[in-house]
Amino acid sequence: MIKDLPENKVTDIAIGVALESENAEGKIWYVYLINLKNEPIENILITSKGYGEKDGEQVKTSTLRHMFPKLDAASYVIIEPIDEQTFGLTNEYWLSYYTGSDIYDKKFIFLPESIVDMNLIKLPVVNKPGVMIK
């Protein structure tokens, strides 16, 4: 039964959208998986998609899938670049990973217009300006 399954709560893991650089043509952003734990995580699967309304019409981006064999303690990995045009959509990242033989999963959701200059912080470990969900 579902009640018999362990409740594996995701802690000390974050998804961050970081500003990489700015030039006359615009800003370049990347999405990061940040491991704030003191132990590595393994067999990492991430799906990403965007959805919402733009100009009065429903819009959905492609669903992308990413796999990383291992992410060491207190480190990060780039998941994907992200276009500023999708910041008006809901951007969803569904993460699954193992610590030892235990599986964990969590959905991280960046709401429309949440990735804005006003919300920028210095991302831990990555040390770049960005928006983070933990």
Side-chain angles (χ1 to χ4, degrees):
M1 298 299 199
I2 290 179
K3 65 180 171 74
D4 297 325
L5 294 174
E7 187 179 326
N8 294 339
K9 189 172 181 180
V10 173
T11 58
D12 298 326
I13 298 289
I15 301 280
V17 178
L19 177 60
E20 290 295 312
S21 64
E22 277 185 84
N23 57 37
E25 297 165 5
K27 297 178 180 179
I28 298 173
W29 299 83
Y30 284 102
V31 181
Y32 287 89
L33 172 62
I34 307 168
N35 183 4
L36 301 168
K37 294 179 173 294
N38 293 324
E39 60 187 335
I41 61 175
E42 298 177 326
N43 298 323
I44 305 156
L45 297 171
I46 302 170
T47 61
S48 63
K49 65 181 177 180
Y51 52 88
E53 191 173 302
K54 190 167 187 173
D55 300 327
E57 291 187 31
Q58 289 297 316
V59 177
K60 279 193 334 187
T61 67
S62 299
T63 299
L64 302 176
R65 291 167 184 82
H66 311 276
M67 197 278 181
F68 305 98
K70 183 177 181 181
L71 182 58
D72 290 327
S75 63
Y76 63 88
V77 65
I78 294 175
I79 299 171
E80 64 188 14
I82 187 169
D83 192 318
E84 280 185 298
Q85 293 181 29
T86 65
F87 291 174
L89 301 174
T90 298
N91 288 284
E92 176 183 296
Y93 296 86
W94 193 313
L95 166 71
S96 294
Y97 66 90
Y98 281 86
T99 299
S101 62
D102 295 326
I103 189 167
Y104 296 83
D105 70 331
K106 183 175 180 178
K107 192 182 294 186
F108 296 84
I109 298 176
F110 291 90
L111 296 173
E113 306 303 336
S114 62
I115 306 169
V116 293
D117 290 342
M118 185 175 70
N119 293 337
L120 295 182
I121 61 168
K122 185 176 181 182
L123 298 179
V125 184
V126 179
N127 293 322
K128 295 181 179 181
V131 177
M132 180 176 82
I133 297 176
K134 191 171 160 182

